[in-house]
Amino acid sequence: MRLLLIEDDEKIASFVKKGFKAEGFAVDHAPDGTSGLDLALTEPYDAAVVDIMLPGLDGLSLIGRMRREKVMTPVIILSAKSAIDDRVRGLQTGGDDYLSKPFAFSELLARVQALIRRASGAKEPTRLTCGDLTIDMLTREVRRGGVKIDLQPLEYSLLEYLMRNAGRVVSKTMIMEHVWDYHFDPQTNVVEARICRLRDKVDKGSNEKLIHTVRGVGYALRRNA
């Protein structure tokens, strides 16, 4: 999952980024409204966390611009203001949820996850399956042939992304942008290295290989034809 964080408070931004990265999110951070709007209008995100009081362009104006430009990324508003009128203005402007500062990261995480589920439709799966490989989206438990596989957060995010796109070839660029929190660098081999580790855990010892390399294109998770 890819998250956009627009927050000018360095301590809060660091706290939120660290928390979401630990949960397997890729996080892009903008410290002001102007740069945040540029990212929101040009990059694909699963959700955005936007502070109201921002330098350059305030959060409500930013959200309003997003909606006028038909960018429907789910947005949760952060604000030190907790008055009912402020919440109403935020939601009327186009925000999807509102969280007052100070807040617990666990609540922010739960609200962002709920926004992503709603945005993807009521039939959001709680389990992903490809052959005998399964991911329980609620417990984040991965099993192959009934045997539990222990994955690191980035490995889990990579496998989830591949399984959500099962049967399709996803490029190295697409993986970098959705699983990691930086843009594609043609010189890095981080994707290859992580795919190799993931393949060792998922395919090793199994007769059917699920993670395939499509030379010159990318990777695909699929059953053998």
Side-chain angles (χ1 to χ4, degrees), residues 22 31 38 87 96 108 121 139 157 185 189 192 206 209 224:
D38 287 341
R87 295 187 208 176
D96 299 278
L108 176 60
T139 64
S157 295
D185 178 356
N189 67 345
E192 290 90 338
S206 297
K209 307 306 179 185
N224 294 327

mmCIF file of all heavy atoms in Angstrom, residues 22 31 38 87 96 108 121 139 157 185 189 192 206 209 224:
data_model
loop_
_atom_site.group_PDB
_atom_site.id
_atom_site.type_symbol
_atom_site.label_atom_id
_atom_site.label_comp_id
_atom_site.label_asym_id
_atom_site.label_seq_id
_atom_site.Cartn_x
_atom_site.Cartn_y
_atom_site.Cartn_z
ATOM 1 N N ALA A 22 6.606 0.399 9.330
ATOM 2 C CA ALA A 22 6.651 -0.845 10.097
ATOM 3 C C ALA A 22 5.481 -1.755 9.757
ATOM 4 O O ALA A 22 5.563 -2.969 9.917
ATOM 5 C CB ALA A 22 6.659 -0.535 11.589
ATOM 6 N N PRO A 31 6.281 18.236 3.219
ATOM 7 C CA PRO A 31 6.252 19.100 4.405
ATOM 8 C C PRO A 31 5.428 20.367 4.244
ATOM 9 O O PRO A 31 5.345 21.169 5.166
ATOM 10 C CB PRO A 31 7.730 19.443 4.597
ATOM 11 C CG PRO A 31 8.264 19.473 3.204
ATOM 12 C CD PRO A 31 7.528 18.398 2.455
ATOM 13 N N ASP A 38 1.163 18.734 -5.431
ATOM 14 C CA ASP A 38 1.830 18.233 -6.633
ATOM 15 C C ASP A 38 1.875 16.706 -6.626
ATOM 16 O O ASP A 38 1.597 16.061 -7.648
ATOM 17 C CB ASP A 38 3.254 18.790 -6.728
ATOM 18 C CG ASP A 38 3.284 20.270 -7.100
ATOM 19 O OD1 ASP A 38 2.265 20.762 -7.617
ATOM 20 O OD2 ASP A 38 4.316 20.924 -6.858
ATOM 21 N N ARG A 87 -14.619 19.991 12.035
ATOM 22 C CA ARG A 87 -14.757 18.643 11.472
ATOM 23 C C ARG A 87 -15.713 18.661 10.277
ATOM 24 O O ARG A 87 -15.448 18.042 9.248
ATOM 25 C CB ARG A 87 -15.291 17.671 12.524
ATOM 26 C CG ARG A 87 -14.359 17.447 13.693
ATOM 27 C CD ARG A 87 -14.907 16.352 14.573
ATOM 28 N NE ARG A 87 -14.493 16.523 15.952
ATOM 29 C CZ ARG A 87 -14.891 15.755 16.948
ATOM 30 N NH1 ARG A 87 -15.742 14.779 16.720
ATOM 31 N NH2 ARG A 87 -14.464 15.962 18.178
ATOM 32 N N ASP A 96 -12.461 12.385 3.971
ATOM 33 C CA ASP A 96 -13.241 11.175 4.232
ATOM 34 C C ASP A 96 -13.311 10.833 5.713
ATOM 35 O O ASP A 96 -14.204 10.098 6.149
ATOM 36 C CB ASP A 96 -12.642 9.993 3.472
ATOM 37 C CG ASP A 96 -12.655 10.209 1.973
ATOM 38 O OD1 ASP A 96 -13.706 9.967 1.361
ATOM 39 O OD2 ASP A 96 -11.622 10.639 1.415
ATOM 40 N N LEU A 108 -4.949 5.929 14.082
ATOM 41 C CA LEU A 108 -4.720 6.437 12.730
ATOM 42 C C LEU A 108 -4.581 5.284 11.740
ATOM 43 O O LEU A 108 -5.179 5.307 10.657
ATOM 44 C CB LEU A 108 -3.463 7.311 12.701
ATOM 45 C CG LEU A 108 -3.036 7.834 11.320
ATOM 46 C CD1 LEU A 108 -4.117 8.694 10.690
ATOM 47 C CD2 LEU A 108 -1.722 8.613 11.428
ATOM 48 N N GLY A 121 -14.186 -0.956 -2.270
ATOM 49 C CA GLY A 121 -15.476 -1.632 -2.417
ATOM 50 C C GLY A 121 -15.810 -2.522 -1.247
ATOM 51 O O GLY A 121 -14.934 -2.987 -0.518
ATOM 52 N N THR A 139 -5.080 -11.173 9.840
ATOM 53 C CA THR A 139 -4.013 -11.555 10.769
ATOM 54 C C THR A 139 -2.624 -11.389 10.160
ATOM 55 O O THR A 139 -1.629 -11.522 10.846
ATOM 56 C CB THR A 139 -4.174 -13.015 11.207
ATOM 57 O OG1 THR A 139 -4.030 -13.875 10.056
ATOM 58 C CG2 THR A 139 -5.542 -13.247 11.837
ATOM 59 N N SER A 157 4.531 -7.155 2.271
ATOM 60 C CA SER A 157 3.944 -6.151 1.377
ATOM 61 C C SER A 157 4.177 -6.518 -0.083
ATOM 62 O O SER A 157 3.289 -6.346 -0.929
ATOM 63 C CB SER A 157 4.545 -4.772 1.662
ATOM 64 O OG SER A 157 4.199 -4.342 2.959
ATOM 65 N N ASP A 185 14.833 3.531 -9.368
ATOM 66 C CA ASP A 185 16.224 3.815 -9.690
ATOM 67 C C ASP A 185 16.729 2.648 -10.537
ATOM 68 O O ASP A 185 16.851 1.525 -10.044
ATOM 69 C CB ASP A 185 17.056 3.938 -8.414
ATOM 70 C CG ASP A 185 18.530 4.178 -8.701
ATOM 71 O OD1 ASP A 185 18.922 4.166 -9.884
ATOM 72 O OD2 ASP A 185 19.299 4.349 -7.738
ATOM 73 N N ASN A 189 19.285 -2.929 -7.343
ATOM 74 C CA ASN A 189 18.835 -4.309 -7.510
ATOM 75 C C ASN A 189 18.001 -4.752 -6.309
ATOM 76 O O ASN A 189 17.884 -5.943 -6.030
ATOM 77 C CB ASN A 189 20.027 -5.244 -7.699
ATOM 78 C CG ASN A 189 20.893 -5.356 -6.449
ATOM 79 O OD1 ASN A 189 20.767 -4.537 -5.531
ATOM 80 N ND2 ASN A 189 21.763 -6.347 -6.406
ATOM 81 N N GLU A 192 15.134 -7.181 -7.197
ATOM 82 C CA GLU A 192 15.618 -8.520 -7.499
ATOM 83 C C GLU A 192 16.011 -9.272 -6.232
ATOM 84 O O GLU A 192 15.691 -10.456 -6.059
ATOM 85 C CB GLU A 192 16.821 -8.457 -8.449
ATOM 86 C CG GLU A 192 16.480 -8.021 -9.855
ATOM 87 C CD GLU A 192 16.572 -6.519 -10.046
ATOM 88 O OE1 GLU A 192 16.486 -5.780 -9.046
ATOM 89 O OE2 GLU A 192 16.704 -6.081 -11.205
ATOM 90 N N SER A 206 8.539 -26.638 -2.912
ATOM 91 C CA SER A 206 7.233 -26.898 -3.530
ATOM 92 C C SER A 206 7.417 -27.342 -4.972
ATOM 93 O O SER A 206 8.297 -26.838 -5.685
ATOM 94 C CB SER A 206 6.364 -25.641 -3.488
ATOM 95 O OG SER A 206 6.092 -25.257 -2.162
ATOM 96 N N LYS A 209 6.069 -23.818 -8.775
ATOM 97 C CA LYS A 209 6.618 -22.499 -8.511
ATOM 98 C C LYS A 209 5.569 -21.444 -8.847
ATOM 99 O O LYS A 209 4.941 -21.495 -9.907
ATOM 100 C CB LYS A 209 7.893 -22.262 -9.333
ATOM 101 C CG LYS A 209 8.948 -23.363 -9.166
ATOM 102 C CD LYS A 209 9.305 -23.607 -7.706
ATOM 103 C CE LYS A 209 10.333 -24.722 -7.572
ATOM 104 N NZ LYS A 209 10.610 -25.049 -6.139
ATOM 105 N N ASN A 224 1.428 -22.458 -12.719
ATOM 106 C CA ASN A 224 1.958 -22.896 -14.018
ATOM 107 C C ASN A 224 0.801 -23.233 -14.951
ATOM 108 O O ASN A 224 -0.189 -23.828 -14.537
ATOM 109 C CB ASN A 224 2.850 -24.122 -13.849
ATOM 110 C CG ASN A 224 4.116 -23.804 -13.073
ATOM 111 O OD1 ASN A 224 4.644 -22.696 -13.168
ATOM 112 N ND2 ASN A 224 4.598 -24.752 -12.288
#
